[in-house]
Amino acid sequence: MRNDKENIIVNKTFDFALNIIEFSEKLYKVNKFSLANQIFKSGTSIGANVREAQNAESRADFIHKIKIAAKEADETEYWLSLCLQSEYLCSPDEKLFKDLREIILILSKIISTSKFK
C-alpha cells in the first residue's frame, strides 16, 4: 500500500530528474544526441525506480527496486563524469554531482537498513 507522506528520496530523485532533463537539453543543443539520451534515460530512471519501490509488494521487491535505482545512479555518475572529463562535451555543474552523491548515499543506506530489518 502506498504511503503518501513526504519522502526525502522520492523528492530528491524527482528534483534531480528535472535537473538532468535540463542538462540533457544542453547536450542536445550541441548535437550530442546519443550521450544526451543516455544521461536522460539513466538520470530520470533513478526517480522512477524509487517511486516504483513505494508500491513494492514485499520487502524483497522494495530492495530490488531500490537496487535498480542505485545502479541507474551509478550509470548516471559515469555519464556525467565523461562529460566533465571530455573537452568536447558540456560540463555538468557541481550541483548535479553533489545531488547525485547524496542520492547514492541515501539509496545505499536504504538498502543496508532494509536488508537488516
Side-chain angles (χ1 to χ4, degrees):
M1 189 157 133
R2 186 179 169 128
N3 182 352
D4 286 329
K5 71 178 184 175
E6 179 133 3
N7 186 316
I8 291 171
I9 192 63
V10 170
N11 295 341
K12 280 189 175 294
T13 56
F14 185 83
D15 292 341
F16 181 76
L18 292 174
N19 291 328
I20 282 294
I21 292 167
E22 186 178 325
F23 181 66
S24 295
E25 283 302 314
K26 289 179 184 176
L27 289 171
Y28 278 118
K29 287 179 182 175
V30 293
N31 300 324
K32 302 299 181 191
F33 304 113
S34 295
L35 188 60
N37 193 37
Q38 287 290 341
I39 289 174
F40 180 88
K41 283 197 236 181
S42 65
T44 58
S45 180
I46 302 164
N49 283 291
V50 166
R51 186 78 173 258
E52 191 176 335
Q54 304 311 299
N55 295 305
E57 296 174 11
S58 65
R59 179 177 290 146
D61 186 37
F62 175 80
I63 293 168
H64 176 71
K65 287 174 173 45
I66 294 294
K67 281 183 174 181
I68 292 171
K71 287 180 181 182
E72 294 293 336
D74 284 340
E75 180 181 341
T76 302
E77 185 176 40
Y78 174 79
W79 295 123
L80 291 175
S81 295
L82 279 179
C83 290
L84 185 64
Q85 296 296 318
S86 175
E87 63 184 78
Y88 303 106
L89 300 169
C90 301
S91 288
D93 62 21
E94 186 55 38
K95 184 175 178 354
L96 263 182
F97 278 105
K98 179 184 172 289
D99 292 345
L100 184 56
R101 287 183 199 110
E102 281 182 21
I103 288 167
I104 290 170
L105 287 173
I106 294 169
L107 291 172
S108 295
K109 186 64 174 175
I110 290 170
I111 292 165
S112 65
T113 302
S114 297
K115 282 183 176 180
F116 296 108
K117 273 191 173 181

